[in-house]
Amino acid sequence: MLDQSFSEKAVKLLGINTWKKNRPGTEYTNFVADTYEKIEEKFNADEYQFSQFEKKSFKGKGGWAFASAADEIVAKKLNDNIRRLFKIRPSDRHAIVKQTIALAKDSQPITIARLDIKDFYESLDRESIVKFITEEWLLSHQNRMVLKQWDKQLSSQGIQGLPRGMSLSSTLSEIRIRHFDKHMKLDSRVYFYARYVDDIIVFYTGEQSQLESMMTHRLEASAQELKLNADKSHYTVLNDPANGASAEINYLGYKLRINNYSRKPEVKREVKVFISSKKVNRVKERVRRAFRAYSKDRRYNLLLARLKFLSANQYIIGDIERTKLKSGIYYNYPLINDHSQLKELDDFYQKFINSRKEPAYSAMQLIKNHGGVTGNTRLKQIEAISFKFGFKNRVMNSFTNELNKKIKRCW
């Protein structure tokens, strides 16, 4: 039976990232004890009261964060309880892309739709979701009270829909839209359907207009507040020679270049898998920002750490201490089968550090002049950075949580 209580054990299990973010200089056991004491004090009052949420930016969009460690951990425990009781399983980005690649190789005629839901989190009907969860009676009374107080605090601050930046929002959004997912998969003309947050991919055997009409109807029936974003919806018809020799689909950080037409049904299409151009350009921009920051602060070790972060891989520690995820140039894009973009990044990097333009020139002069003629260790380290090497050898870095924060600060 699931222990839904906000116990000291739950704080210890879920608090590792909150501790690293708020009080990394203290012992974890002390942080757990202090935070649990504050949680108990709040629960001993008439109702658990969340402090005012703080405005943050997440991936260029407005979001919100908890003001205290106690609030954040209580919300994490509530989120964990809801996920378990309502059987919410996170989408596997790589599994979705892997299946997309496999199906794109099939030779049958098909329409592939890349669809986006407009203002997904902001548009969701939070009142309906909270009402549904509390009326299901799966959560304990204490958990239902916390959920209602979270909702009340959002309303008091005029926050619409579900706030970006809180894991609870992701869970509640999955509950709201899962009936839509179910009905999409049951449609006889849908060959394959997958959704990762608000990014949807559909393999469809009918016409584009039929798919648009069907999806609009499904949304109206399941979550009428949501609308398709026409500006970010793309349709590709395979096995139509009028569409050219190949088609490109960008999805979840990958770019798929698909041989568009197969004359023989038994011959599979060729599918080349790249990192999306948007992601490649983001890496280039982060290289520029790293050197620009070094020109100002002259913190060489931080520059080197930033370049290693971009060109290799590292561990990400999950909320539960024992969960370790890998991230980086290989682990973010393990499915690519064409490495030309890794060479593109290496070529860009070498050209950049040898450029006579800013911000590279001033930064490289500082590096070259350090230690005189013979002390060129820093220069060798900078010149040795290679995205292709980091990918092929799955190079792993080890950064402290504090260094991770500093690395990302200039981006």
Side-chain angles (χ1 to χ4, degrees):
M1 185 136 179
L2 176 64
D3 178 6
Q4 297 189 40
S5 65
F6 298 89
S7 61
E8 188 168 4
K9 180 181 177 182
V11 175
K12 184 177 182 181
L13 189 66
L14 296 171
I16 191 77
N17 276 349
T18 306
W19 164 64
K20 287 181 176 180
K21 183 169 58 178
N22 290 273
R23 289 169 56 185
T26 64
E27 289 290 331
Y28 187 53
T29 52
N30 293 336
F31 166 80
V32 170
D34 292 346
T35 304
Y36 178 63
E37 184 179 344
K38 289 174 184 175
I39 290 172
E40 274 198 313
E41 287 174 5
K42 285 198 168 193
F43 275 118
N44 287 333
D46 289 339
E47 289 182 323
Y48 190 96
Q49 299 288 332
F50 283 92
S51 301
Q52 191 169 38
F53 301 132
E54 298 177 343
K55 199 161 190 176
K56 298 285 183 180
S57 178
F58 294 93
K59 297 181 180 180
K61 294 189 176 182
W64 299 88
F66 295 100
S68 72
D71 285 356
E72 185 170 304
I73 292 175
V74 164
K76 282 181 179 180
K77 178 55 179 170
L78 172 62
N79 182 60
D80 185 62
N81 291 339
I82 294 174
R83 291 192 79 89
R84 290 170 182 267
L85 292 169
F86 286 83
K87 297 179 172 58
I88 303 299
R89 295 177 178 83
S91 299
D92 186 328
R93 169 177 165 258
H94 294 304
I96 292 172
V97 176
K98 194 172 183 178
Q99 182 73 357
T100 300
I101 295 167
L103 291 174
K105 290 179 179 179
D106 200 336
S107 59
Q108 73 167 329
I110 203 83
T111 296
I112 303 177
R114 269 277 292 104
L115 307 166
D116 177 86
I117 297 175
K118 190 173 184 179
D119 299 327
F120 181 63
Y121 281 112
E122 294 80 4
S123 298
L124 282 164
D125 185 352
R126 188 177 73 243
E127 182 182 350
S128 294
I129 305 169
V130 172
K131 184 173 184 289
F132 170 78
I133 292 172
T134 53
E135 289 181 353
E136 282 292 291
W137 293 94
L138 293 173
L139 285 175
S140 68
H141 171 75
Q142 191 179 50
N143 275 262
R144 294 198 305 275
M145 179 269 289
V146 171
L147 178 61
K148 288 177 180 178
Q149 289 301 117
W150 176 77
D151 175 52
K152 185 178 179 181
Q153 183 59 42
L154 291 170
S155 296
S156 72
Q157 292 183 232
I159 301 170
Q160 300 296 315
L162 296 174
R164 291 179 184 270
M166 296 183 182
S167 56
L168 192 53
S169 294
S170 175
T171 298
L172 300 190
S173 71
E174 292 297 315
I175 291 174
R176 178 61 174 166
I177 203 170
R178 64 181 176 181
H179 288 296
F180 169 75
D181 293 339
K182 179 182 177 180
H183 288 297
M184 283 296 299
K185 292 174 182 178
L186 290 174
D187 191 282
S188 60
R189 291 165 296 185
V190 172
Y191 191 64
F192 172 68
Y193 167 89
R195 179 183 55 81
Y196 191 85
V197 191
D198 57 348
D199 283 329
I200 296 170
I201 192 161
V202 185
F203 281 63
Y204 192 70
T205 58
E207 300 294 329
Q208 176 181 329
S209 58
Q210 293 174 316
L211 175 57
E212 290 175 331
S213 176
M214 184 266 286
M215 287 199 64
T216 300
H217 174 72
R218 298 292 188 201
L219 279 174
E220 287 175 353
S222 304
Q224 60 184 2
E225 69 271 22
L226 299 177
K227 307 294 179 187
L228 289 178
N229 189 343
D231 294 335
K232 293 185 178 180
S233 295
H234 304 280
Y235 299 85
T236 303
V237 180
L238 299 180
N239 272 31
D240 184 351
N243 289 339
S246 65
E248 284 192 357
I249 296 172
N250 286 281
Y251 191 54
L252 302 183
Y254 287 94
K255 177 170 68 177
L256 276 57
R257 185 173 296 157
I258 307 166
N259 184 2
N260 185 34
Y261 187 62
S262 176
R263 295 182 181 276
K264 297 179 180 180
E266 69 277 7
V267 177
K268 289 186 176 292
R269 297 186 188 95
E270 181 186 14
V271 180
K272 290 188 176 182
V273 186
F274 306 84
I275 304 170
S276 75
S277 299
K278 182 179 178 181
K279 299 295 183 183
V280 171
N281 290 335
R282 180 182 294 176
V283 172
K284 291 178 181 179
E285 179 56 29
R286 287 180 173 179
V287 168
R288 294 187 189 97
R289 291 186 180 186
F291 276 90
R292 189 176 294 121
Y294 173 67
S295 295
K296 293 177 181 178
D297 60 32
R298 302 194 179 189
R299 298 174 69 181
Y300 172 77
N301 288 336
L302 184 54
L303 169 65
L304 186 61
R306 283 169 173 156
L307 296 175
K308 287 182 176 181
F309 184 95
L310 291 172
S311 62
N313 309 279
Q314 42 278 324
Y315 285 106
I316 301 173
I317 307 298
D319 283 334
I320 298 175
E321 188 174 8
R322 62 180 175 270
T323 61
K324 283 188 176 182
L325 303 175
K326 294 176 181 178
S327 175
I329 193 68
Y330 174 80
Y331 292 101
N332 287 351
Y333 311 103
L335 301 178
I336 64 171
N337 57 24
D338 187 302
H339 296 172
S340 58
Q341 284 174 308
L342 298 173
K343 184 178 184 304
E344 177 190 338
L345 283 170
D346 280 347
D347 290 346
F348 158 80
Y349 179 77
Q350 291 299 323
K351 184 177 180 181
F352 178 83
I353 62 175
N354 287 291
S355 171
R356 299 187 67 82
K357 296 180 180 179
E358 300 297 347
Y361 184 73
S362 296
M364 290 305 297
Q365 288 302 111
L366 289 170
I367 291 167
K368 289 175 182 178
N369 292 335
H370 183 269
V373 178
T374 57
N376 59 358
T377 303
R378 289 187 174 184
L379 178 60
K380 288 180 179 178
Q381 287 176 323
I382 295 298
E383 290 178 336
I385 294 294
S386 169
F387 295 87
K388 191 172 183 179
F389 183 86
F391 181 94
K392 288 197 168 183
N393 293 279
R394 304 184 194 183
V395 175
M396 295 297 298
N397 296 310
S398 180
F399 300 125
T400 65
N401 190 61
E402 188 60 31
L403 182 53
N404 255 313
K405 288 182 183 177
K406 291 178 182 178
I407 285 170
K408 297 172 184 177
R409 200 165 286 162
C410 74
W411 297 333

